[in-house]
Amino acid sequence: MRVHVLTLVALAGCISAGGQMAAPRPPMGWNSWNHFAEHVTDADVRSAADALVSTGMKDAGYIYVNMDDTWQGKRDSQGVLHPNERFPDMKALGDYVHSKGLKFGIYSSPGAKTCGGYAGSLGHEEQDAKMYAEWGVDYLKYDLCSMQDQMADLREAHPESPMAEYEMMIGAFKKMGDALKATGRPIVYSLCQYGMDEPWRFGPGVGGSMWRTTDDINDTYQRMMTIAYGQAGLGKYAGPGHWNDPDMLEVGNGGMNADEYRTHMSLWAVMGAPLIAGNDLSKMSDVTKSILMNREVIAIDQDALGKGGDRTLQLGDFSVWERPLSGKRLAIALVNVSVSGRDIPVNLAQIGVPKGAKIHDVWGNKELRPVQGVLNERFPGHGVILLIVSE
Ligand code: GLA
């Protein structure tokens, strides 16, 4: 039934008008929502930009500074949307972010209202896209939110035509995708519709650089793992210019312990997910820094091969996640879902590691030596051992 819609939005949209791919690797940066939510101010965004530089996050690859919802004020009689009093001068804010060698991100909705009840872009798509380009925006998160009301109205009016609301949603995302493209500015286009209706299928065709594959994350091990498990089978849809987005990182927000955050970071890297930090960058512990800025984990995420990863084995509460890397290497996350620490003998042949391969333990920063094809390592509760396997 959906084939004709998909044909309409065939794989064409990942390249901007200038011919540049906006997201050849999973985008990396920071977003205001997970920590500041609706309280975010211009000063918070500036200090996040400062902190990205001073903490070394920028050098590690985190370059997007993304304002999430609640920056919007009112539209004037010309339909121009003005920021609210917490954002006195958006162009100046964009300039400030750029002056640090960083990129500037913003947020809107295809609906009349955002999820926070602020003004969305419905009926003003071209106008808003042009304004973003004038402000120097490099990244737009476009969040379905109240567009669901329009979809529900349509469903009620035409119960006989279940495709209509799906087409309405795709049309709305494509409208902004086209408007962004028409600006000629490479802008990462981040679709957010919570993984409903398989956005990995229509995302590239509407110009999406990435698409949320899930409802919102929160700062708990359970929610983070539920999301990770929900990604099964999606690895094949990730690739240069178009990425699955299992939502932003919670690392450093305090709701998980260090082992759990290492699991979170490892799984996002193995899935090739965008790494968008969501913590208060001005107050990062050394442990948080060591997790967010582990160069080898980031290199797995940003690997040049650009393939997605997936869960490949589940044995009780032990699971294995794999991602092929450039140079015939393989990233493997061995995950202990149990709350207790335990010794798990891992049979390497069973997880596809060839005999004689080199096995590097990323978090432990050491080489591992199997005994008769078996790794005997201690796993912390809710912990991970992340490996890079090479010839
Ligand atoms: C939705 C999105 C979140 C965040 C909020 C803002 O819930 O999924 O990531 O952007 O809206 O209102």
Side-chain angles (χ1 to χ4, degrees), residues 155-236:
R155 193 182 322 145
E156 210 170 293
H158 294 284
E160 77 290 354
S161 177
M163 286 306 291
E165 61 177 291
Y166 179 68
E167 288 175 18
M168 175 190 246
M169 178 188 64
I170 292 181
F173 279 115
K174 184 155 190 316
K175 193 159 194 187
M176 182 53 92
D178 290 347
L180 293 176
K181 234 189 282 178
T183 68
R185 192 178 169 84
I187 297 177
V188 170
Y189 186 27
S190 163
L191 313 184
C192 180
Q193 54 78 270
Y194 334 117
M196 302 176 320
D197 299 315
E198 308 189 332
W200 43 91
R201 295 188 191 276
F202 70 78
V206 301
S209 322
M210 52 195 265
W211 40 83
R212 274 271 293 275
T213 51
T214 165
D215 208 341
D216 293 15
I217 195 166
N218 62 40
D219 192 14
T220 62
Y221 177 77
Q222 193 181 352
R223 179 71 194 133
M224 182 275 291
M225 284 307 281
T226 303
I227 289 178
Y229 273 87
Q231 306 304 297
L234 298 187
K236 59 177 177 289

Side-chain angles (χ1 to χ4, degrees), residues 33 68-69 107 115-116 141 143 145 192 194 212 216 247-248:
W33 186 253
D68 206 274
D69 200 359
Y107 166 101
C115 296
K141 174 172 167 185
D143 194 354
C145 300
C192 180
Y194 334 117
R212 274 271 293 275
D216 293 15
D247 208 357
M248 303 171 287

Side-chain angles (χ1 to χ4, degrees), residues 96-111:
Y96 185 79
V97 168
H98 289 142
S99 76
K100 303 275 162 185
L102 297 163
K103 292 179 182 260
F104 186 41
I106 207 162
Y107 166 101
S108 190
S109 168

Side-chain angles (χ1 to χ4, degrees), residues 109-118 122 143-158 165 168-169 172 194 196:
S109 168
K113 294 265 183 255
T114 66
C115 296
Y118 288 67
L122 184 67
D143 194 354
L144 189 66
C145 300
S146 70
M147 169 59 52
Q148 290 170 103
D149 299 342
Q150 258 89 18
M151 292 164 70
D153 289 348
L154 194 62
R155 193 182 322 145
E156 210 170 293
H158 294 284
E165 61 177 291
M168 175 190 246
M169 178 188 64
Y194 334 117
M196 302 176 320

Side-chain angles (χ1 to χ4, degrees), residues 241-355:
H242 49 98
W243 304 99
N244 293 314
D245 173 15
D247 208 357
M248 303 171 287
L249 297 171
E250 290 284 6
V251 178
N253 278 333
M256 294 183 239
N257 66 34
D259 287 314
E260 294 169 334
Y261 281 141
R262 275 188 278 272
T263 301
H264 181 13
M265 187 77 184
S266 303
L267 290 176
W268 265 233
V270 167
M271 291 188 285
L275 298 179
I276 307 293
N279 56 319
D280 181 357
L281 300 174
S282 66
K283 298 193 185 78
M284 281 202 282
S285 69
D286 288 344
V287 173
T288 297
K289 287 182 188 164
S290 73
I291 296 172
L292 285 172
M293 287 191 262
N294 183 300
R295 292 297 205 271
E296 280 187 299
V297 182
I298 291 172
I300 291 173
D301 183 76
Q302 299 286 301
D303 185 72
L305 193 62
K307 292 219 165 173
D310 243 310
R311 183 159 50 94
T312 53
L313 190 69
Q314 184 74 41
L315 300 169
D317 47 16
F318 172 71
S319 61
V320 178
W321 310 63
E322 299 192 357
R323 181 180 194 201
L325 301 178
S326 55
K328 297 193 194 144
R329 295 166 310 137
L330 191 61
I332 304 183
L334 306 171
V335 176
N336 176 26
V337 185
S338 163
V339 73
S340 316
R342 55 193 181 137
D343 298 310
I344 304 175
V346 179
N347 180 328
L348 292 173
Q350 199 178 358
I351 61 169
V353 176
K355 259 197 184 139

